[in-house]
Amino acid sequence: MKRFLILMILSGLAMSCKTKNISNDLATQNPIMAHLDLVNLENDKVEVTIDPGRFVRDTVIYRLPRVVQGTYAVSDFGKYIEGLKGMDYDGNELAGTKQDTNTWVFANAQNLDKITYWVNDTFDQEIEGGIGAEVPFSPSGTNIEPKQVMLNLHGFVGYFDSLKNNAYQIGITAPDTFNYTSPLQEINTSKSEDGKTTTSVFYANRYFEVTDNPMMYGETEVEEFMVGDIKIVLSVFSPNGVHTAKEIKETVHKMMLAQKEYLGDLDSTPRYDVLLYLSDTEKEDSPKGFGALEHHTSTVVVLPENMQPEALAESMIDVVAHEFFHIVTPLSVHSEDVHYFDYNEPTFSKHLWLYEGVTEYFAQHFQVYEGLIDEPEYFSRTTQKINGSRSNYDDSMSFTQMSENILESPYKENYANVYLKGALIGMCVDILMRENSNGQRSLRSLMAELSAKYGKNKPFVDDNLVAEITAMTYPAVGEFLNTHVVGTTPIDYDAFFEKVGLHFGEAEVKTNYIQNAGNLIVGADREKGGIKFNDLVTNNSFWAENGAQPNDLFKSINGTEVNLANANQVFGEVFSWKPGKEIEVVLLREGQEVLISTTTTPSYTKAKTLLENPEATASQKELRNAWLKG
């Protein structure tokens, strides 16, 4: 939805102040004016001013989002707002009432000239004892510091209940040394008299476009390149200069060329932005929620800065590939819940298997389809998704019921399964499409048909989607969706792999340094407040060869003390280790320290994995080739 916009110069802006004869608010006819001051920061806070225009009604409600699209969790951005107050047209303070965490109510709204407040950033709160029990997932959060400001605009600019469809003009004043990019149309730029600051004004058609267009301001490196007819803008902030945008560009360019080839004509945006924030994990107030948040034509990515270049490249492929495929869904194919999203009391679509599952399936499938990985690697990743889904989540839970109730227990605890079983659902539909069309139709062709039927401006009716897909495809597809997605019957993956001449067998497979083919070899020791190896460590070749044993407790990894509070951050880095990295791990075994100081080597494990069946028939091999290579 980020297109270059033509600013409509509205006539008659200087309207009469005799409002008694006007039935509608004058505010509904004009863009809401927002201003962010990135020059005069105070204690990592930004001052924001909102000028909505003149109201006629007695009462107005101003909100910051409780939930933002793509997160499927409560973020409560209102709790990062301080000192919010209204001002009347005479410059006097106009009292407002804070109704809840994210909501402010102003009576006598006819006198409301503007609202001002300070925004605290969320990255600083990602520490024990931060604001509230939870903080927003890092890629949806905000950062405010002299060198860099992460502008997920939903954390800075709110909306009036009655004006959600109003246009916005967002002015941002920043030091002249700051770099920035934005897919929003920049309609004006001016410098201060002393040349030290620049004010840029951006235009958004409605509040959705405010939330859907993140920006980075500061010491940011920017690289631009074309992938077919799509302009890719890569913005990178590496606080210690460990990585460069030029270095990362090569990985992203190669990946997106393959994605564009895979999608063919199935794309719907002239521009796509990748905003990469690399976290200095040595600092306590750096973000710790690694991953990415999709927007319709951009993504914000947060990863550790201390990753090796090879590990960073692999993570960028996996993470950004997934987010880029969101240009198919939900950009072109989405429900009414997505199209008319309520940031305060959202309802959720039944079809997370489509938005996240199919997207994740494409993000993995395109890599084998376009030759970025080989078939054994793809089979290994598929096996890991099956193992992870079955061992960690409720395999008999209705996926549509989970999706619709994703903020509630027990469904929210199963959310991460959308990236595992959700992707496997996509795989099964793809195989069924290939089987029933003699290899001529696929999940991609189905998504192209759905995109043509709906598109970015026309949502589908949530309750009708399965029936529509069935009518557009084959009875077998409808039966599968009703049985295994709407219904509660676990999927028999063996039956699908038999169709393409694959089966499960014991083999030596590559793994990483915290898993054996998808099964964790570490776990929490609540009694000792730390993390220890479990019995599976004996089957991990690297750790077994270096003398690690079950129940060994981690004391430190590369100088960082390990505890339950920082486990996700520390082992997130271990997960990204590649062969050739020098490591120093201190373990505690029966109270005695055990030092492992070495260089990582490839790690293997014996596991049941997906393999080619040597007895596969010619028709099975033909279907497999159509599925994996087209």
Side-chain angles (χ1 to χ4, degrees), residues 420-536:
L420 302 174
K421 188 174 181 178
L424 296 167
I425 290 169
M427 177 194 72
C428 293
V429 172
D430 200 9
I431 291 173
L432 287 172
M433 291 289 293
R434 293 287 188 182
E435 179 186 37
N436 284 272
S437 66
N438 294 318
Q440 298 307 302
R441 296 179 71 191
S442 65
L443 181 59
R444 280 182 303 147
S445 68
L446 171 61
M447 294 306 297
E449 292 169 33
L450 286 168
S451 295
K453 182 175 183 178
Y454 290 103
K456 68 173 186 174
N457 294 319
K458 182 183 177 183
F460 61 77
V461 178
D462 213 48
D463 289 341
N464 296 347
L465 183 64
V466 171
E468 288 188 61
I469 289 176
T470 303
M472 294 170 67
T473 58
Y474 309 98
V477 173
E479 181 182 354
F480 170 81
L481 292 175
N482 280 304
T483 303
H484 303 294
V485 180
V486 179
T488 59
T489 304
I491 300 171
D492 180 4
Y493 298 108
D494 288 342
F496 285 87
F497 293 134
E498 184 180 359
K499 296 175 186 291
V500 292
L502 301 176
H503 69 167
F504 286 100
E506 190 82 9
E508 187 176 74
V509 297
K510 266 189 179 181
T511 190
N512 56 56
Y513 303 97
I514 63 170
Q515 291 176 309
N516 285 348
N519 297 309
L520 286 172
I521 63 174
V522 297
D525 187 325
R526 300 289 177 185
E527 185 178 333
K528 296 180 180 177
I531 304 296
K532 65 180 180 181
F533 280 120
N534 61 33
D535 291 342
L536 294 179

Side-chain angles (χ1 to χ4, degrees), residues 321-484:
H322 174 99
E323 307 307 336
F324 182 70
F325 278 123
H326 276 299
I327 67 173
V328 179
T329 182
L331 176 57
S332 293
V333 184
H334 58 262
S335 71
E336 294 170 316
D337 303 85
V338 174
H339 198 76
Y340 305 109
F341 190 77
D342 187 323
Y343 299 90
N344 187 54
E345 292 293 341
T347 59
F348 291 96
S349 170
K350 296 178 178 180
H351 301 294
L352 273 176
W353 69 270
L354 178 72
Y355 307 132
E356 296 296 345
V358 168
T359 300
E360 175 62 13
Y361 172 68
F362 283 164
Q364 298 300 319
H365 185 254
F366 100 95
Q367 295 185 53
V368 67
Y369 198 89
E370 298 296 334
L372 299 184
I373 60 174
D374 59 22
E375 291 182 11
E377 173 64 19
Y378 180 69
F379 297 156
S380 175
R381 295 184 185 186
T382 301
T383 302
Q384 290 183 39
K385 285 190 183 295
I386 293 172
N387 291 341
S389 174
R390 285 175 167 171
S391 61
N392 296 311
Y393 303 101
D394 184 349
D395 200 29
S396 62
M397 178 178 284
S398 165
F399 233 72
T400 55
Q401 189 173 7
M402 178 192 75
S403 300
E404 194 172 28
N405 300 281
I406 199 64
L407 295 187
E408 305 170 12
S409 293
Y411 307 106
K412 65 180 180 180
E413 289 81 9
N414 282 266
Y415 167 71
N417 204 17
V418 300
Y419 303 104
L420 302 174
K421 188 174 181 178
L424 296 167
I425 290 169
M427 177 194 72
C428 293
V429 172
D430 200 9
I431 291 173
L432 287 172
M433 291 289 293
R434 293 287 188 182
E435 179 186 37
N436 284 272
S437 66
N438 294 318
Q440 298 307 302
R441 296 179 71 191
S442 65
L443 181 59
R444 280 182 303 147
S445 68
L446 171 61
M447 294 306 297
E449 292 169 33
L450 286 168
S451 295
K453 182 175 183 178
Y454 290 103
K456 68 173 186 174
N457 294 319
K458 182 183 177 183
F460 61 77
V461 178
D462 213 48
D463 289 341
N464 296 347
L465 183 64
V466 171
E468 288 188 61
I469 289 176
T470 303
M472 294 170 67
T473 58
Y474 309 98
V477 173
E479 181 182 354
F480 170 81
L481 292 175
N482 280 304
T483 303
H484 303 294

Side-chain angles (χ1 to χ4, degrees), residues 285-309:
D285 58 357
S286 293
K288 301 166 181 63
F290 303 134
L293 175 68
E294 81 274 7
H295 297 269
H296 282 64
T297 55
S298 63
T299 182
V300 176
V301 186
V302 177
L303 292 171
E305 186 184 36
N306 61 2
M307 296 179 79
Q308 295 172 279

Side-chain angles (χ1 to χ4, degrees), residues 579-598:
K581 179 178 178 63
E582 293 183 5
I583 64 166
E584 185 173 282
V585 177
V586 179
L587 303 171
L588 292 176
R589 183 181 302 157
E590 296 180 352
Q592 300 298 311
E593 289 190 0
V594 176
L595 175 65
I596 298 177
S597 181
T598 186

Side-chain angles (χ1 to χ4, degrees), residues 554-604:
F554 286 89
K555 181 179 181 183
S556 66
I557 298 178
N558 294 335
T560 300
E561 297 291 323
V562 178
N563 52 57
L564 291 176
N566 68 2
N568 284 338
Q569 177 183 345
V570 171
F571 286 95
E573 294 174 21
V574 175
F575 180 79
S576 71
W577 284 359
K578 296 297 175 186
K581 179 178 178 63
E582 293 183 5
I583 64 166
E584 185 173 282
V585 177
V586 179
L587 303 171
L588 292 176
R589 183 181 302 157
E590 296 180 352
Q592 300 298 311
E593 289 190 0
V594 176
L595 175 65
I596 298 177
S597 181
T598 186
T599 301
T600 54
T601 56
S603 192
Y604 298 89

